[in-house]
Amino acid sequence: MRWQLCTGLGGRNHRNTQRQGVRFHNGDAFTAEDVKFSFERYKGSGATDLKQRVQALEIVNPHQVRFHLHAPWPDFLTFYATPATGAAWIVPKNYVEKVGDEGFKNQPIGLGPYRFVSHQPGIEVVFEAYPEYWRKMPHVKRLVMKGVPEPTTRLAMLKRQEADVAYGVYGAVAEEIQRDPTLKLQPAVGQTIQWAVFTYEQYAAKSPWADKRVRLAANHAINRQAINEAETLGYSVLTGSIVPRALEYALPLEPYAYDPQKAKQLLTEAGYPRGFDMGEYSVDPVYTGVVEAIVNDLASVGIRGRVRPMERAAFIAAHKEHTLKHLAHQGSGAFGNAATRLGAFVYSKGENSWIKDPELDAWYAQQAVERDRTKRQALLHQIQQKLYDDVRFLPIWELGFLSAAGPRVAVSGIGLIRLHLYSAPFEDVQVKA
């Protein structure tokens, strides 16, 4: 569905008008009751904060709802009406009440261009085109999404035409795709940034990472462009921030220059002329190659360590539970703006934040209620600049996400939506006649 939003930015009331004549895949009409029901049912990212700020959700008429906030909140639409959260994903009230949450999980009903057919957990999910989709009938009648962990297997499936599009193909696999005239490499840069975080070691008095000079040395030790060329074929954009340049209120920051001699000098000044053993650098398996290159660069200046690959679910949980030690890979592809990115990874109460800085917390709280855009931007820039000056992260890049299309593909959908890394809109995907 598409929302038509009529609102005064940062005000207490937000009126949302629905597109009329839209129906769910089971034929039920889409109404304001579904919007209210879905909001109250939502339990995903940011749900507690979102609901605490909403005083009431009023149904004005069958196609319009009005949100009443307890106080002005400049980021209401960012949290509710963008993919920063899933709060605006609408489910059919009558159907969910009839089948229950478990029944809906097993046989979901939505409003999009494709409807659910079947699901084999960990293997594949199958969809078919929904002919009554409000925008237009999808070109491709059947859509199959498969989970294939090994990139070499994904490449083989492309070559055998067992798959039409493959995501996440890096390094040697991407180079082989470039050499194959029947395949097309399709890079995209979105809002995904990756970085290394010094965990709570940066606040431990006995840890080398507690010294700003050591953190700065690590930043100067990394040859980001060489890693970029090797892993993402040069398509990533190097950065000195954890906030993508494309997001609202972002402060563009260049990475600290690659300078191993300066890195060694800083380590000597910090009392580590022979370097030190940093322990483990934790990462999920997808980006092990990137981390191996970073660990090698660190070792070249005397910061010796080991790569610790972790299963993704365990890795994500360890970040949230703050049980990781030494260095840890971190990243985010979440939509939103600079405030939402900083709220998750810098504000001390953020779900994935390793930062403990009362001054940053105070600035973050101040900007969250500031309705003057110029003043708000100044506060958010101030936060980003302090993170850079204090060297609280080791930013790597705005990820050049590499995907590939096979011989049958006319339109993969990759790149059609700004900042979106995957095929979309699905109704525009096409295969050759």
Side-chain angles (χ1 to χ4, degrees):
M1 62 163 294
R2 185 178 74 185
W3 285 99
Q4 297 176 348
L5 298 171
C6 306
T7 177
L9 181 63
R12 292 175 183 266
N13 298 319
H14 293 257
R15 185 175 72 243
N16 299 270
T17 303
Q18 302 164 211
R19 178 177 296 278
Q20 299 187 29
V22 176
R23 292 188 174 273
F24 288 99
H25 296 155
N26 65 347
D28 287 354
F30 165 48
T31 72
E33 291 283 353
D34 301 301
V35 176
K36 186 173 188 293
F37 174 79
S38 299
F39 178 81
E40 293 170 346
R41 178 178 179 270
Y42 179 63
K43 297 181 177 68
S45 174
T48 300
D49 186 45
L50 182 61
K51 292 181 179 181
Q52 285 177 346
R53 291 171 180 265
V54 175
Q55 184 180 53
L57 200 172
E58 172 193 0
I59 294 178
V60 179
N61 61 53
H63 298 286
Q64 189 178 83
V65 297
R66 181 180 290 118
F67 288 86
H68 298 269
L69 308 181
H70 288 286
W73 183 20
D75 274 338
F76 171 70
L77 291 181
T78 302
F79 274 89
Y80 181 71
T82 79
T85 71
W89 293 349
I90 311 302
V91 300
K93 177 178 183 290
N94 292 338
Y95 177 74
V96 174
E97 289 181 335
K98 178 181 178 181
V99 302
D101 287 341
E102 192 63 27
F104 183 78
K105 178 182 177 180
N106 294 330
Q107 192 68 39
I109 296 293
L111 291 158
Y114 283 85
R115 56 188 171 195
F116 175 84
V117 174
S118 63
H119 179 215
Q120 297 181 58
I123 300 175
E124 69 174 27
V125 58
V126 180
F127 302 91
E128 65 180 9
Y130 178 51
E132 304 303 319
Y133 182 54
W134 66 267
R135 184 168 178 243
K136 65 180 179 181
M137 174 71 176
H139 296 281
V140 177
K141 300 298 186 285
R142 188 174 179 86
L143 186 65
V144 181
M145 297 182 181
K146 289 182 176 289
V148 182
E150 287 297 322
T152 52
T153 305
R154 297 199 291 276
L155 173 59
M157 292 175 67
L158 274 180
K159 289 185 173 183
R160 295 193 298 261
Q161 298 189 36
E162 295 173 5
D164 294 302
V165 174
Y167 299 136
V169 287
Y170 300 111
V173 173
E175 291 173 345
E176 185 171 346
I177 289 168
Q178 283 187 319
R179 290 191 295 267
D180 190 327
T182 69
L183 305 179
K184 183 179 181 181
L185 188 70
Q186 297 199 285
V189 176
Q191 71 293 332
T192 297
I193 283 189
Q194 295 179 334
W195 63 90
V197 62
F198 302 106
T199 65
Y200 285 151
E201 296 283 325
Q202 61 189 304
Y203 301 107
K206 295 182 179 180
S207 171
W209 298 121
D211 193 317
K212 172 183 168 180
R213 292 169 295 185
V214 175
R215 301 194 299 272
L216 184 57
N219 270 273
H220 282 301
I222 306 304
N223 190 340
R224 293 169 176 82
Q225 186 56 31
I227 301 173
N228 183 13
E229 296 290 343
E231 293 293 325
T232 63
L233 308 194
Y235 286 108
S236 293
V237 178
L238 307 186
T239 183
S241 177
I242 69 165
V243 179
R245 293 174 175 86
L247 293 190
E248 188 178 24
Y249 304 120
L251 175 65
L253 293 165
E254 294 302 316
Y256 287 104
Y258 173 55
D259 190 339
Q261 291 306 314
K262 186 171 185 178
K264 291 177 181 178
Q265 178 187 340
L266 286 164
L267 289 174
T268 298
E269 293 174 1
Y272 302 98
R274 298 181 181 177
F276 62 92
D277 188 338
M278 73 171 188
E280 298 174 328
Y281 186 150
S282 301
V283 62
D284 73 84
V286 176
Y287 296 106
T288 299
V290 174
V291 170
E292 286 175 345
I294 292 173
V295 168
N296 288 339
D297 280 351
L298 291 173
S300 71
V301 301
I303 303 175
R304 300 171 294 277
R306 300 168 297 284
V307 180
R308 181 195 179 195
M310 298 177 64
E311 189 274 325
R312 172 163 285 195
F315 180 66
I316 292 173
H319 262 299
K320 292 182 178 180
E321 294 162 7
H322 297 94
T323 56
L324 298 172
K325 302 290 185 182
H326 315 297
L327 283 189
H329 204 61
Q330 202 166 30
S332 175
F335 286 83
N337 58 25
T340 60
R341 185 63 59 92
L342 296 171
F345 295 98
V346 174
Y347 184 48
S348 64
K349 296 180 182 179
E351 189 174 49
N352 292 287
S353 174
W354 293 90
I355 306 302
K356 297 188 293 185
D357 187 322
E359 189 172 39
L360 292 178
D361 281 355
W363 291 342
Y364 181 81
Q366 187 178 346
Q367 67 79 32
V369 295
E370 177 56 67
R371 298 174 68 184
D372 184 299
R373 291 176 60 85
T374 302
K375 293 179 180 178
R376 188 172 187 224
Q377 176 170 283
L379 285 164
L380 289 167
H381 282 189
Q382 195 169 303
I383 293 171
Q384 293 166 77
Q385 187 67 55
K386 188 174 192 295
L387 290 169
Y388 182 83
D389 294 341
D390 291 347
V391 200
R392 290 301 174 188
F393 299 104
L394 197 164
I396 304 168
W397 53 35
E398 297 184 14
L399 177 65
F401 188 74
L402 304 185
S403 299
R408 295 198 321 138
V409 177
V411 179
S412 71
I414 295 170
L416 293 185
I417 295 179
R418 180 177 175 269
L419 302 182
H420 188 69
L421 301 178
Y422 304 93
S423 297
F426 279 125
E427 63 271 23
D428 287 335
V429 171
Q430 297 181 45
V431 294
K432 296 175 183 176

